[in-house]
Amino acid sequence: MSNEIELKFEIEQATIKPISQFFESLMILQHDTYHLENTYYDTPDNYLKSHHSSIRVRGIQTHSQTKQYEITVKSSGHAIAGLHQRLEYNANLPNKTLDLSVLPQDILPKTVDLDSLAKQLQAQFTTNFTRRMWLVAFNQSKIEIALDCGSITIPNGHQIPIQEIELELKTGNSIDLITFALQISQFRIHLFSQSKAARGYRLLKRQSIGKMNTISLDHLQVNSALTKLLKFWQTNEEYALTNHDLIIYQYTLSQVNAHLTKILSSIEGVETKQELKRIFNQWSLQVLSIKNIELFAYSEINNQLKLWLIRLLLTLSDQ
């Protein structure tokens, strides 16, 4: 079982070529292209989802190798804006047939019996996409970049697109991951909190993205306040993008602006405080004249402020 730490971004079609060229200019340790076919399983009453877990069987096809299969179990973990941290376990399979016997007994919730679970599991949805992968050396770390393009499909044929970038920390430290993400914020990308599994379940259940109407914070409890504020911001930004709701977006950013002003004024002894305040002040000026949700959500300054706040949270957690 490994602890997966990654940043996820939505990406516009027009950004794919220039950002790929940027990745090609880095110190590349490994580069490949895969086609991935994934089937996600759950019980009819969604036992796994309700216990914040997922099981998928993945088929991996490269140009140079025969198709390989693996089973993956993930915990939903937690996401702060687009930073995802969760536990993951992988095991090889001889073919695409679901087989829980290759999993350790303690990989799933303690209340579950693997034999009983295996009899109830049914395919829920699939994700099929092409992945361009770059493993790069950056500062003291190794970071895997995945550019995924494809779709999520449910049994009745309905589907939604996949067009995203994932940055996963393979070795090193999480600050390097944030620093690298700040470099690619020059491109039109958008931090994204929803996993492929979460989007698949939402499509399957015909559920729309929710929003948060209010937020109450203790500004002196910086870790808790920042975590809650980033969740509020990210949730409502994704809601506004999906529903083209400029009013909720303007309201959300005005709340973020007001709360961040108080939070940042209470921070002491943080080396990067001045740079963070400079970014925040620049962001605050642009918030006053927002007329286009997508233009601002995908902007460099919007991504930079979120990433600096995530960096601050990681720094405070290490103190």
Side-chain angles (χ1 to χ4, degrees):
M1 177 77 83
S2 61
N3 188 30
E4 183 183 65
I5 301 175
E6 67 180 22
L7 285 164
K8 188 186 296 289
F9 299 87
E10 288 183 296
I11 182 172
E12 295 181 331
Q13 180 67 36
T15 304
I16 292 176
K17 183 177 180 180
I19 204 169
S20 298
Q21 291 173 337
F22 174 77
F23 295 151
E24 294 288 352
S25 72
L26 301 173
M27 188 179 295
I28 300 172
L29 305 176
Q30 184 182 345
H31 176 44
D32 213 333
T33 300
Y34 311 91
H35 183 72
L36 304 176
E37 299 177 355
N38 309 277
T39 302
Y40 287 78
Y41 290 86
D42 207 338
T43 62
D45 61 353
N46 292 146
Y47 174 88
L48 293 175
K49 183 177 185 296
S50 65
H51 285 76
H52 311 293
S53 300
S54 68
I55 292 178
R56 75 167 184 231
V57 172
R58 164 170 286 179
I60 308 167
Q61 181 70 60
T62 68
H63 294 300
S64 58
Q65 297 178 340
T66 58
K67 183 174 281 191
Q68 299 174 321
Y69 296 93
E70 66 179 18
I71 184 172
T72 298
V73 178
K74 288 189 180 186
S75 73
S76 61
H78 65 279
I80 304 172
L83 179 71
H84 299 250
Q85 300 184 66
R86 55 197 172 198
L87 294 174
E88 176 179 315
Y89 180 87
N90 298 290
N92 293 329
L93 292 174
N95 52 53
K96 65 180 180 181
T97 303
L98 179 68
D99 182 3
L100 300 190
S101 68
V102 300
L103 301 175
Q105 179 66 43
D106 61 354
I107 202 67
L108 288 164
K110 294 180 180 180
T111 56
V112 71
D113 176 78
L114 286 182
D115 290 335
S116 176
L117 180 65
K119 296 174 183 178
Q120 300 179 60
L121 289 178
Q122 300 173 2
Q124 301 294 310
F125 53 88
T126 61
T127 63
N128 295 279
F129 53 92
T130 297
R131 167 168 289 178
R132 294 181 64 190
M133 184 280 291
W134 297 263
L135 180 65
V136 301
F138 183 78
N139 292 345
Q140 305 303 310
S141 302
K142 293 180 181 178
I143 297 171
E144 183 181 278
I145 306 162
L147 172 57
D148 296 341
C149 296
S151 62
I152 302 171
T153 307
I154 59 176
N156 66 7
H158 289 172
Q159 60 182 225
I160 53 176
I162 294 170
Q163 197 161 277
E164 63 189 39
I165 287 172
E166 294 178 358
L167 307 178
E168 182 178 350
L169 183 66
K170 304 304 285 188
T171 63
N173 63 81
S174 54
I175 298 300
D176 281 348
L177 184 68
I178 301 299
T179 304
F180 180 76
L182 283 165
Q183 288 196 5
I184 69 168
S185 66
Q186 64 183 289
F187 299 96
R188 285 192 54 77
I189 57 179
H190 172 243
L191 273 163
F192 197 48
S193 66
Q194 301 174 57
S195 67
K196 295 180 182 71
R199 280 175 281 164
Y201 276 113
R202 202 173 67 246
L203 180 63
L204 188 68
K205 302 297 182 182
R206 299 182 180 179
Q207 296 173 339
S208 59
I209 296 176
K211 67 180 186 293
M212 299 174 66
N213 294 317
T214 59
I215 183 170
S216 177
L217 302 176
D218 180 349
H219 302 108
L220 297 179
Q221 300 294 322
V222 176
N223 290 50
S224 174
L226 272 179
T227 299
K228 291 178 181 178
L229 187 62
L230 279 166
K231 180 179 180 181
F232 171 79
W233 181 0
Q234 190 68 29
T235 298
N236 284 3
E237 188 165 86
E238 291 175 9
Y239 171 87
L241 280 166
T242 301
N243 294 279
H244 311 289
D245 192 332
L246 181 59
I247 293 176
I248 193 67
Y249 194 46
Q250 291 172 329
Y251 162 76
T252 297
L253 296 184
S254 70
Q255 290 292 298
V256 172
N257 195 10
H259 285 294
L260 266 183
T261 299
K262 295 177 181 179
I263 293 171
L264 294 182
S265 68
S266 69
I267 295 173
E268 300 293 342
V270 176
E271 183 179 346
T272 58
K273 180 177 178 177
Q274 291 307 311
E275 179 63 13
L276 176 54
K277 291 189 74 172
R278 184 188 69 80
I279 295 291
F280 173 56
N281 290 337
Q282 185 180 348
W283 179 90
S284 295
L285 289 174
Q286 295 190 29
V287 162
L288 298 174
S289 57
I290 291 176
K291 302 298 181 185
N292 184 298
I293 302 169
E294 189 169 275
L295 192 63
F296 190 76
Y298 280 75
S299 69
E300 181 173 9
I301 191 63
N302 195 52
N303 282 303
Q304 283 186 337
L305 181 56
K306 288 183 188 177
L307 289 166
W308 272 98
L309 293 172
I310 293 170
R311 174 178 174 144
L312 175 60
L313 269 175
L314 293 170
T315 301
L316 294 173
S317 297
D318 291 338
Q319 290 181 351

